Amino acid sequence: MALIASPAALAVAILLAFAPSAFGFFTPQSGGSPNADSIDTLYKIVLYIALFVFVVVEGALGYALYKFRARRGRVAKQTHGNTRLEIAWTGAAVAIVVVLAVITFIKLGSIINPVNSDPSGAKLVGQTGVFFASAEKRLPPDHKALEIEVIGKQFVWQYVYPGAINKDGLGAPYTYEQMVVPTHTTVLLKAISEDVVHSWWIPELGGKIQVIPGRPNYTWFKIDKPGIYRGQCANICGRGHARMIASVRAIPPAQFEAWLARQKRWLAEANAEAAKMRANLESKKGPASVLNP
Amino acid sequence: MATYAAPIPQVSAHKVDREQRGFISWLTTTDHKKIGIMYMVTTFIFFIMGGTEALMMRLQLGEPENTLIAPRVYNELFTMHGTTMIFLFVVPMMAGLANYFLPLMIGARDMAFPRLNALSYWLLLAGGLVFYASIFWGPPEAGWVSYPPLSEIAFSPSGGQDAWIFLIHLTGISSILGAMNFYATIANMRCRGMSWGRLPLFVWTILVYSVLIIFAMPVIAGAVTMLLTDRHFGTHFFDPAMGGSALLWQNLFWFFGHPEVYIMVLPGFGIVSEILPVFAKKPIFGYKAIAASSVAIAFLGFLVWAHHMFTTPTPIVVLIFVMLSSFLIAVPTGVKIFNWIGTLWEGSIEFKTPLLFSAGFIALFLIGGISGVFLAVFPVDWQLNESYFVVAHIHFVLMGGAVFTIFAAIYYWFPKITGRMLNETLGKASFWVMFWGFLATFLIQHVIGLDGMPRRVYEYANVGNLGLYNLISTVGAFILGFGILLTIINVARSVKHGAIAGPDPWKANTLEWFTTSPPPVNNFDVIPRVRSAEPLKDYRLEIEKATAPRVPVPAGSGADSESGHLGA
Ligand code: HEM
Ligand SMILES: [Cu+2]
Ligand SMILES: [Cu+2]
């Protein structure tokens, strides 16, 4: 019976075994963007408080079970309660949640409010008007950010960049599955779904947002380390849900500018090509060409 | 005292129906005990089905990029599993236990509305059959929360989704009728002396369970009706393209869904509050605080539904309100845990199987409560929501919470229902295997979620240690399943071959132990006067005083052997 119901001991053992080697074992992913790092810090503070409560309460339970097990001559004490003690532990519980609330309020700003881009990124988003975020959502203090529209649909992610090449606002550059972004630049995401509910989640770049039809949802990140950050759709969206993957490739601002220009050029070329074919088809009269363009 | 003539019975029967026997007696019964048994057996069968679905999922997830189960089937499995466990197992199992024991515990001879009670059961069975019939043409695939637009006809054309809707309707009506019945029974049929302050704590929690059902169930019934008309009659409640709102469903669903969580765990709190005092040989610590915290939880439970919607486009002030109310609900829950430990403190604890499951429940439920606080901190939830962390959390509160208390109840009350004891050795083995199997399955899932694996995926890439962690979880699930099997074997053996229990094998405190095991149709011929929350202990004490003088023995201590002769 010495071993009885002592998950506390077990947990402590696991902690000791893993703590030095991989603290990441117990924490969410982070390191890509300041908001992800802030969530990670907040999580760790909650974790420490939780561990304290866990050890105290499981310890008290284990101790009671061991110490007060039935033995020869043991007589149960017939108490019905202890009002002072009960008020005390209710107060302790309240105190803990108050502390949690205060800590959350302290960290909240750094998670929900976008930061300014670094100079190199700010130069990028400051150059042309189209890079200004426009909507009424949270902006960085300098109001400069790159806004990308994330469109969720069964079972692929599409990203639409600013900079429509047509006068009617259409023809903006876009990619599927992999989003390319500049480093050192604050990126605002506006997410909307074309069909069912999805959820945008790149763990290292911060929390997730539900992507639903009819109501845009917003988040942001700012990446300093070039590289590829991976994630996938987090809300069940049908049979292909597990394969609805996403990645964000961060490249230096100069490279990004070149990449975006190239995308626009390709898009313009493809559009010109299509226009030529259309004109060609329209010039040839006859039912076949209309029915089967 | 004046002498008076002995009263002469005044009842005369014109016609007495012959007692029904065999199969027909079960079909036509309105006896709360028989209905209770039917509830418990039926829901346990659904538990086995839901468990089998769970093991199939774990088999698929045992290795990365496994191709054992097709995506469609996997989606069907988690939808069936979640729905079964909630609507066909935990909620109605609690109703079954309450059916059997609530009238006995308050000294009543049946429920307030016996025929309505039978209707509740048959509606439950109908709901289960309609739902499981869908395996013949295509089960639902949208998860137990069935968010539209995915659950709309355009994306889920299969009739399985409709079967899911009818399941909610049928089990919902069943639960509402049952809840009204429990409420009426508790309000009107308590025996003499059983004031509110002496009500057994299990009865208190069933009272709160009933109120929660009466307020929450109509909301989901309305929501699924809207979904039904969206699917088949051209309305667009949840279709944003036509002016509806996909978010509306989430609000309606979770307005029901969060109270549902307490509907599932509160009766378990009651069961544990009954069992701990019996095996610690001490009165419950802080009766009033435990009863009051149930009421507080019920009230707060209606203010926190949006904590399931932290990632939706919702104003920050709303998120903050919901976070704070969710924190607040942790307080009465914590108070209960402290009170249970207080009950064990300075007791003389006998490690019988019901006590083991109750203690295991406290240990595991605490972990579920703590992970719940992580989820209530909404920026942290943005990382954890819809990931395996949540799967771990659900199972700590529902499996470690509700299911462990159900097992405690099985071991505690089986002697009353059948008149025979369950085997202790097998029971203890079952507990330990389940306990460690449970931890192996679900502890590691917190880490799986933190490492970025979303829930409801039929496959995953082997990044980091995901393959290893999932394998651990799968092995744990089969250990857990084996532990459950041991109890099934135990029950099957003991029904016929268990040791004879007698009316009060545990020297317990509440009225159900006053009558024979199993109790007669009318439950009690006489009911002792209730003078405290522990009428049977008072009664034992009285007898002790009346019998020949001997060395005084403290109340409830194991040395007392008189109570074996008690009973009607
Ligand atoms: C026998 C032990 C159990 C095992 C091994 C198990 C395993 C699982 C698995 C593998 C999933 C799917 C995870 C995913 O793909 O997202 C799941 C989901 C779920 N389980 Fe269990 N489970 C068990 C018992 C229970 C019990 C007793 C309950 C409730 C009382 C329960 C409630 C749920 C719910 C509500 C879901 C979510 C369903 C959904 O995603 O729509 N499970 N479980
Ligand atoms: Cu998805
Ligand atoms: Cu909730």
Side-chain angles (χ1 to χ4, degrees):
Chain A
M1 282 297 157
L3 256 176
I4 201 124
S6 206
L10 172 78
V12 171
I14 295 177
L15 264 178
L16 292 179
F18 283 96
S21 59
F23 197 68
F25 189 75
F26 292 105
T27 58
Q29 301 193 339
S30 60
S33 170
N35 48 351
D37 296 348
S38 278
I39 293 178
D40 189 51
T41 314
L42 179 57
Y43 174 95
K44 279 181 191 145
I45 297 171
V46 180
L47 179 65
Y48 292 134
I49 296 174
L51 279 177
F52 171 75
V53 173
F54 175 82
V55 170
V56 168
V57 181
E58 298 279 12
L61 175 65
Y63 177 81
L65 286 171
Y66 178 71
K67 182 80 202 296
F68 303 113
R69 67 194 189 280
R71 269 168 301 176
R72 186 172 283 283
R74 166 150 222 110
V75 176
K77 202 167 167 194
Q78 302 298 305
T79 44
H80 285 267
N82 180 335
T83 309
R84 267 215 222 139
L85 186 63
E86 290 177 57
I87 291 174
W89 66 43
T90 309
V94 171
I96 288 174
V97 299
V98 168
V99 169
L100 280 175
V102 169
I103 293 166
T104 308
F105 286 130
I106 292 172
K107 296 302 291 183
L108 188 58
S110 65
I111 296 167
I112 59 177
N113 295 321
V115 295
N116 279 339
S117 301
D118 296 343
S120 58
K123 203 168 111 241
L124 174 80
V125 293
Q127 273 166 2
T128 48
V130 292
F131 285 96
F132 281 93
S134 52
E136 63 310 329
K137 67 235 140 197
R138 279 166 209 286
L139 298 176
D142 66 2
H143 285 224
K144 285 181 196 164
L146 169 62
E147 179 174 328
I148 299 175
E149 191 172 338
V150 174
I151 300 172
K153 51 186 131 185
Q154 286 181 326
F155 298 98
V156 70
W157 294 103
Q158 184 184 7
Y159 315 109
V160 181
Y161 292 80
I165 50 175
N166 297 353
K167 294 216 172 52
D168 58 8
L170 294 178
Y174 62 88
T175 60
Y176 284 107
E177 204 163 296
Q178 186 169 79
M179 179 191 288
V180 179
V181 298
T183 53
H184 302 289
T185 309
T186 304
V187 177
L188 293 188
L189 300 183
K190 171 188 179 186
I192 189 102
S193 166
E194 275 188 2
D195 42 41
V196 302
V197 179
H198 304 273
S199 181
W200 168 261
W201 187 29
I202 307 285
E204 285 162 294
L205 302 183
K208 55 182 82 60
I209 50 173
Q210 238 185 46
V211 181
I212 61 176
R215 282 280 281 280
N217 205 350
Y218 301 93
T219 187
W220 68 279
F221 59 76
K222 173 174 162 285
I223 302 175
D224 289 342
K225 259 201 333 265
I228 294 182
Y229 301 85
R230 294 178 198 281
Q232 69 188 89
C233 174
N235 199 98
I236 178 71
C237 54
R239 292 177 195 167
H241 168 54
R243 296 244 168 123
M244 191 166 159
I245 54 172
S247 61
V248 172
R249 182 154 64 95
I251 53 180
Q255 250 170 293
F256 174 79
E257 257 179 314
W259 175 86
L260 194 64
R262 196 161 64 236
Q263 294 292 313
K264 283 188 188 169
R265 200 176 64 240
W266 284 346
L267 199 62
E269 282 169 12
N271 279 348
E273 191 73 14
K276 222 165 41 194
M277 280 163 72
R278 204 155 42 232
N280 198 9
L281 276 175
E282 278 163 6
S283 66
K284 293 189 202 137
K285 298 273 147 52
S289 59
V290 175
L291 281 177
N292 194 8
Chain B
M1 203 190 281
T3 52
Y4 55 90
I8 301 161
Q10 297 291 314
V11 184
S12 62
H14 298 292
K15 175 172 167 276
V16 179
D17 288 335
R18 225 170 353 117
E19 205 188 321
Q20 299 279 3
R21 297 197 165 276
F23 183 64
I24 296 292
S25 76
W26 293 97
L27 279 183
T28 57
T29 187
T30 57
D31 175 13
H32 73 98
K33 295 182 291 300
K34 281 196 160 165
I35 295 174
I37 291 172
M38 292 199 291
Y39 258 105
M40 289 185 256
V41 171
T42 308
T43 53
F44 205 89
I45 291 171
F46 282 123
F47 175 55
I48 294 169
M49 290 161 83
T52 312
E53 288 148 8
L55 292 183
M56 286 166 74
M57 284 189 283
R58 275 321 320 171
L59 218 49
Q60 160 72 5
L61 297 173
E63 70 176 64
E65 276 154 29
N66 199 351
T67 52
L68 182 70
I69 288 178
R72 168 182 165 182
V73 177
Y74 189 87
N75 289 6
E76 292 167 353
L77 283 173
F78 66 66
T79 306
M80 298 291 280
H81 166 74
T83 307
T84 301
M85 287 301 191
I86 288 173
F87 294 100
L88 296 174
F89 174 53
V90 176
V91 176
M93 172 60 96
M94 295 307 184
L97 288 167
N99 242 300
Y100 199 105
F101 291 104
L102 188 146
L104 286 169
M105 290 173 107
I106 62 172
R109 297 207 158 88
D110 204 322
M111 298 274 282
F113 307 111
R115 287 192 212 177
L116 196 66
N117 200 19
L119 180 64
S120 294
Y121 169 75
W122 292 107
L123 283 171
L124 165 75
L125 183 66
L129 291 181
V130 165
F131 184 60
Y132 268 88
S134 73
I135 48 183
F136 296 111
W137 75 84
E141 298 173 46
W144 86 280
V145 301
S146 285
Y147 282 3
L150 183 60
S151 55
E152 295 275 15
I153 196 121
F155 301 99
S156 296
S158 139
Q161 193 61 47
D162 299 305
W164 182 85
I165 291 172
F166 294 135
L167 163 109
I168 305 288
H169 275 144
L170 289 166
T171 57
I173 300 170
S174 160
S175 293
I176 292 170
L177 295 179
M180 286 164 26
N181 214 342
F182 292 137
Y183 195 109
T185 308
I186 299 169
N188 299 307
M189 302 187 54
R190 284 166 287 139
C191 66
R192 271 181 68 204
M194 176 140 323
S195 59
W196 291 102
R198 295 174 189 165
L199 216 51
L201 284 163
F202 177 67
V203 179
W204 262 110
T205 56
I206 291 298
L207 185 73
V208 177
Y209 160 97
S210 304
V211 172
L212 284 172
I213 284 180
I214 290 168
F215 281 111
M217 279 286 172
V219 176
I220 186 71
V224 298
T225 307
M226 288 154 83
L227 183 60
L228 187 72
T229 61
D230 262 19
R231 286 172 61 81
H232 296 294
F233 304 109
T235 58
H236 300 281
F237 290 112
F238 305 119
D239 176 6
M242 303 295 281
S245 163
L247 266 186
L248 174 62
W249 169 271
Q250 296 188 29
N251 277 300
L252 293 175
F253 184 89
W254 290 114
F255 183 82
F256 143 83
H258 192 85
E260 175 81 344
V261 175
Y262 288 104
I263 291 170
M264 288 188 271
V265 296
L266 272 173
F269 292 176
I271 292 166
V272 169
S273 306
E274 295 299 333
I275 291 176
L276 291 180
V278 172
F279 294 90
K281 307 215 166 36
K282 257 188 79 191
I284 189 81
F285 191 90
Y287 173 96
K288 281 192 187 135
I290 293 185
S293 61
S294 296
V295 179
I297 286 174
F299 175 73
L300 291 171
F302 280 106
L303 298 181
V304 300
W305 79 89
H307 67 205
H308 300 268
M309 300 168 60
F310 279 147
T311 65
T312 60
T314 303
I316 295 286
V317 279
V318 176
L319 301 188
I320 289 174
F321 170 81
V322 176
M323 172 179 78
L324 294 179
S325 54
S326 304
F327 281 171
L328 221 52
I329 213 167
V331 173
T333 314
V335 164
K336 277 185 194 288
I337 291 182
F338 292 140
N339 276 308
W340 291 325
I341 296 176
T343 304
L344 294 171
W345 209 265
E346 301 192 313
S348 172
I349 304 167
E350 274 209 77
F351 283 90
K352 294 279 165 54
T353 313
L355 186 277
L356 282 181
F357 274 103
S358 302
F361 151 80
I362 301 175
L364 299 178
F365 185 77
L366 177 73
I367 300 177
I370 289 179
S371 63
V373 171
F374 281 82
L375 296 168
V377 181
F378 65 91
V380 171
D381 179 72
W382 289 341
Q383 282 287 13
L384 306 177
N385 181 255
E386 294 290 342
S387 79
Y388 257 85
F389 192 95
V390 171
V391 178
H393 167 72
I394 302 176
H395 288 93
F396 267 90
V397 292
L398 294 183
M399 178 91 208
V403 176
F404 270 63
T405 65
I406 288 170
F407 274 69
I410 291 174
Y411 280 91
Y412 180 58
W413 276 323
F414 184 88
K416 181 49 64 182
I417 299 173
T418 62
R420 289 177 186 275
M421 305 297 288
L422 285 168
N423 180 299
E424 269 295 308
T425 316
L426 211 49
K428 285 187 176 139
S430 175
F431 168 76
W432 285 111
V433 174
M434 279 176 72
F435 185 77
W436 291 111
F438 176 86
L439 284 177
T441 314
F442 293 111
L443 260 187
I444 195 75
Q445 286 187 2
H446 294 102
V447 181
I448 296 177
L450 290 167
D451 281 357
M453 181 160 156
R455 66 193 280 202
R456 298 175 179 149
V457 291
Y458 65 90
E459 67 166 18
Y460 54 94
N462 191 14
V463 289
N465 289 320
L466 277 188
L468 173 68
Y469 297 164
N470 274 293
L471 183 63
I472 293 174
S473 184
T474 296
V475 172
F478 280 86
I479 296 173
L480 174 56
F482 179 66
I484 294 170
L485 187 66
L486 290 181
T487 288
I488 296 175
I489 293 171
N490 200 352
V491 168
R493 265 188 33 174
S494 301
V495 169
K496 285 252 162 61
H497 308 293
I500 302 292
D504 184 17
W506 309 119
K507 293 189 182 28
N509 306 325
T510 38
L511 283 182
E512 77 269 31
W513 304 103
F514 183 72
T515 184
T516 52
S517 310
V521 177
N522 64 340
N523 290 353
F524 305 96
D525 290 331
V526 286
I527 298 165
R529 266 278 285 287
V530 175
R531 294 197 185 80
S532 76
E534 301 174 317
L536 225 58
K537 191 190 266 181
D538 301 343
Y539 192 57
R540 258 201 310 278
L541 219 64
E542 230 167 75
I543 290 186
E544 214 166 90
K545 260 191 267 163
T547 45
R550 46 178 196 165
V551 190
V553 178
S557 84
D560 156 40
S561 63
E562 292 298 320
S563 52
H565 306 298
L566 277 189

